Amino acid sequence: QVQLVESGGGLVEPGGSLRLSCAATGRTSTLYTMAWFRQPPGKEREFVGGISCNGPTTYYADSVKGRFTISRDNAKNTVYLQLNSLKPEDTDVYYCAARTFAAVAVSPDVYAYWGQGTQVAVSS
């Protein structure tokens, strides 16, 4: 079993930055791909970015490309999401997810492990 715990959310003004962290505990040796999703109220979770274990290779949603950066520290079993140039439409609950396959996937259905979420609010 794997547990994911996110942190780093908060309130920031438009144009500001935040760094989210996702710490993995448990059987972390089985983890390959980790990703971030966000969920607007009343809507399905949408892919933000993902990072593979080896490489690492990263993928981003078009809406965040160039503004968000995902990275990982395997020694700490932690993945990070750096959010820059934040916009009000980035306001959401952000979730960390993990799957035991090597490829990044954009569908939330193929991720077996999820964190509890952390709120990001962008407002002046």
Side-chain angles (χ1 to χ4, degrees):
Q1 195 72 316
V2 174
Q3 295 80 41
L4 303 175
V5 178
E6 303 101 332
S7 61
L11 174 64
V12 64
E13 293 185 347
S17 298
L18 284 173
R19 189 176 82 154
L20 308 182
S21 299
C22 174
T25 59
R27 296 183 60 185
T28 55
S29 62
T30 64
L31 292 177
Y32 287 95
T33 296
M34 297 185 77
W36 289 92
F37 288 77
R38 62 188 182 185
Q39 187 165 22
K43 297 184 179 181
E44 295 184 353
R45 291 183 185 182
E46 61 182 30
F47 176 80
V48 175
I51 186 167
S52 63
C53 179
N54 299 322
T57 303
T58 57
Y59 296 92
Y60 299 95
D62 288 342
S63 59
V64 307
K65 202 173 294 183
R67 299 189 298 122
F68 292 6
T69 303
I70 189 169
S71 61
R72 68 188 299 162
D73 184 337
N74 286 338
K76 296 181 178 179
N77 289 318
T78 300
V79 65
Y80 304 96
L81 183 67
Q82 179 69 40
L83 295 74
N84 295 330
S85 302
L86 281 161
K87 305 174 182 180
E89 52 264 41
D90 294 318
T91 295
D92 277 319
V93 178
Y94 284 70
Y95 295 90
C96 175
R99 66 193 297 252
T100 56
F101 291 90
V104 175
V106 301
S107 170
D109 296 339
V110 300
Y111 287 85
Y113 306 104
W114 291 88
Q116 80 289 351
T118 184
Q119 176 72 53
V120 171
V122 184
S123 176
S124 55

